Amino acid sequence: MAAQQPSTNGASGRLWGGRFTGKTDELMEQYNESLSFDRVFYAQDIAGSIAYARANVTTKILTQDEFLAIEKGLKQVLEEWRTDTFLVKKGIDEDIHTANERRLGEIIGTDIAGKLHTGRSRNDQVATDLRLWLRDELREIERYLIDLLKVVAERAQNDISLLMPSYTHLQRAQPIRWSHWLLSYGAFFADDLLRLREVIKRVNRCPLGCGAVAGNAFHIDRHAMAQELGFEGLLPNSMAAVADRVFILETMQWGSTLMMNISRWSEDLIIYSSGEFGFVRLADAYTTGSSLMPQKKNSDSLELLRGKAGRVFGQMAGLMMSIKGIPSTYNKDLQESVEPMLAHVKTLKDSLLIAARVLATLTTFPTKMAAALTPDMLATDLAEYLVRKGLPFRETHHISGRVVALAEKEEVPMDRLSLAQLQGVDGRFGPDVLGVFDYERSVEMKDATGGTSKRAVEEQIQELLRIIEEGA
């Protein structure tokens, strides 16, 4: 939209009022306004305006004294927002940009305040506000994600002696360390952290000075404004700068991936905390009871983490649908990016805090974990015993399967079969074969990088800590 000065004519003194003489429908005013939600950007909007005003001293649009008056006035507006004393004028303050500029004019006079918007549009203004706000929020989310990863690393180190079954197809597979399970999600969350750092870089680029669509006609120094606002670079094309909401969409895509990983993590813990498993118990602070059944202790925190993943997926998909069909540069459809972004960011922050607190306060039950281990989970170890005697794995896999079948037929655990029975399956089993049926031995044999031996797990903890520190 074209850069306009405030007017008392036409459409009730709005920034765009000079072109219009008729009254706006009251429902349309409500439908159009965004101050009810974009007021959250008040500090970013004021910071952008101060940077823009400073740059316009160099262009000679403002004198130094005029800039100082604008800066002082905007700082007063900022304080009014911070102290909740800012008075909104219904029907005039349709968005945060209009409200701030209107109030600035009341404080310092419209003769000076009216110069602030020279060469600037709400199109590049809102894009700047969004990027500044989102950048800061994502940096806070990064800190929350790091906190979760630190809890994962600490618990993995402290609980490294605990053994439990691993699961594929939700069936018991091979013995692992509980720490190995923790670090499997630590690996997912670490990848989320690395991706987040890339997203922040793309968000943190400056659109200010691009005007409504075609750029700024007063040779404004965009690099100086970007530096003042802490941006890492400029958006190079004015049309793209005002049209772009992919940086919000990419944030939501990232957030959806994070919540997908948190949802899977939650599902595992819901299962492990059930009476049928009993591996862990959630702290009372993160559970609820039943209104009917006194014995119930429900893992509501984890169930909500799982459920809210669907909400963030929907916000992402909804924004994609809003963006996909609009023509180039700014259209009012883009206003629909703000509310889902705000809700999305809040859900991510709350979810990371809850997840970290749940894990930090979780009680483990090593005896229950160990009791879930069964000798048939060592069938692969039995096959590998024969591999070490020179047999091909495909043959030893078949031999081990016959041992499993024999144990089932005899209705005894595999480790209760006698040496004679094992040699009846294959004569190459020696007396040392009985040493295979040892869960600690099994996990320690998985010593390659990424495995579940103590050394391999400690190596993974150090790698996780390295990734955390890498971007510090």
Side-chain angles (χ1 to χ4, degrees), residues 183-408:
L183 291 163
S184 71
Y185 282 100
F188 288 148
F189 297 146
D191 281 346
D192 290 328
L193 177 61
L194 295 174
R195 282 188 287 264
L196 175 59
R197 288 169 175 167
E198 291 298 317
V199 172
I200 292 172
K201 289 179 183 178
R202 284 186 285 278
V203 169
N204 196 27
R205 296 184 294 170
C206 184
L208 191 58
C210 286
V213 62
N216 183 281
F218 297 94
H219 303 289
I220 198 162
D221 188 344
R222 293 187 61 209
H223 291 281
M225 293 188 294
Q227 184 175 10
E228 178 173 341
L229 294 170
F231 285 113
E232 293 181 20
L234 300 180
L235 291 165
N237 181 282
S238 64
M239 295 178 72
V242 300
D244 183 20
R245 295 299 181 272
V246 174
F247 68 96
I248 297 177
L249 180 60
E250 186 180 11
T251 295
M252 290 184 175
Q253 289 169 334
W254 176 84
S256 296
T257 301
L258 171 69
M259 288 301 293
M260 177 185 69
N261 289 331
I262 288 177
S263 179
R264 293 187 69 184
W265 173 84
S266 299
E267 172 65 9
D268 274 4
L269 287 176
I270 289 167
I271 292 170
Y272 295 163
S273 65
S274 68
E276 286 73 16
F277 282 72
F279 295 171
V280 300
R281 183 174 65 206
L282 274 64
D284 288 350
Y286 303 103
T287 59
T288 66
S290 166
S291 61
L292 178 64
M293 298 169 283
Q295 82 281 9
K296 292 294 293 299
K297 185 175 183 179
N298 301 321
S299 53
D300 284 16
S301 55
L302 297 171
E303 292 167 16
L304 285 169
L305 287 171
R306 184 178 60 188
K308 287 180 185 293
R311 177 185 296 189
V312 301
F313 297 167
Q315 290 160 345
M316 175 196 69
L319 181 57
M320 290 185 77
M321 295 307 101
S322 294
I323 293 174
K324 72 173 184 63
I326 61 177
S328 62
T329 76
Y330 187 84
N331 294 266
K332 198 59 178 264
D333 314 49
L334 295 179
Q335 182 170 291
E336 290 303 299
S337 65
V338 180
E339 289 179 284
M341 179 192 71
L342 297 175
H344 194 98
V345 166
K346 184 179 188 308
T347 299
L348 296 183
K349 291 169 70 175
D350 291 349
S351 297
L352 284 168
L353 288 171
I354 291 293
R357 293 171 187 178
V358 166
L359 185 58
T361 58
L362 198 72
T363 300
T364 55
F365 294 94
T367 303
K368 285 286 189 72
M369 291 179 177
L373 296 168
T374 54
D376 58 302
M377 296 173 65
L378 301 170
T380 302
D381 297 73
L382 189 64
E384 290 169 348
Y385 165 88
L386 292 173
V387 167
R388 290 185 174 87
K389 289 185 174 290
L391 279 70
F393 178 75
R394 279 295 161 222
E395 182 180 352
T396 68
H397 184 283
H398 180 72
I399 294 168
S400 181
R402 288 169 58 197
V403 173
V404 172
L406 176 62
E408 290 176 350

Side-chain angles (χ1 to χ4, degrees), residues 7-24 91-92 94:
S7 171
T8 57
N9 300 318
S12 305
R14 295 189 179 92
L15 296 180
W16 44 267
R19 162 68 174 79
F20 295 83
T21 57
K23 184 180 179 182
T24 307
I92 296 178
E94 63 181 274

